[in-house]
Amino acid sequence: IRIAFITISESSPGEDLSEQIKILETASDEGSVLAETALGFCYENGKGIKQNKALAVSFYRKAAQRGNEAAYNSLLRMYDEIRPKDEKFQIYSE
């Protein structure tokens, strides 16, 4: 799972990543919280699959509910991106 994700995150635009995506999807179906977080990243950024923010949120939420801090922070960041820029509306802190 980690190797598939590193391959995806370091890929060039247009590179065929279907095998790595399949690895992540299979692992996610088998219950891997790391794979859910990685798929959230892929859907959020359009890496290896068509960009779909709604699916990214869904995968991040599943992983965050199971305790994955990276997924939780990614979810908060995505929500902050659509909130008004006024500081009182922001919830993500680095």
Side-chain angles (χ1 to χ4, degrees):
I1 296 168
R2 292 177 193 269
I3 293 171
F5 179 66
I6 290 170
T7 302
I8 290 168
S9 63
E10 295 179 351
S11 66
S12 303
E15 192 174 330
D16 181 23
L17 301 169
S18 57
E19 187 172 324
Q20 288 78 17
I21 295 296
K22 185 175 180 175
I23 291 168
L24 294 179
E25 289 173 338
T26 301
S28 175
D29 290 343
E30 293 173 354
S32 170
V33 70
L34 181 59
E36 289 173 347
T37 304
L39 283 170
F41 171 83
C42 292
Y43 278 111
E44 178 185 1
N45 298 292
K47 290 281 208 167
I49 45 182
K50 186 176 178 184
Q51 187 177 39
N52 186 327
K53 300 273 185 168
L55 280 175
V57 167
S58 176
F59 278 107
Y60 283 147
R61 186 177 295 125
K62 284 183 206 175
Q65 287 173 337
R66 295 177 57 203
N68 186 284
E69 188 175 351
Y72 178 76
N73 288 331
S74 295
L75 189 60
L76 292 179
R77 181 185 39 74
M78 286 183 73
Y79 285 147
D80 276 349
E81 289 173 0
I82 60 174
R83 282 192 176 87
K85 297 299 179 199
D86 190 328
E87 190 174 312
K88 67 182 175 184
F89 294 105
Q90 301 300 305
I91 58 174
Y92 179 71
S93 60
E94 294 182 34

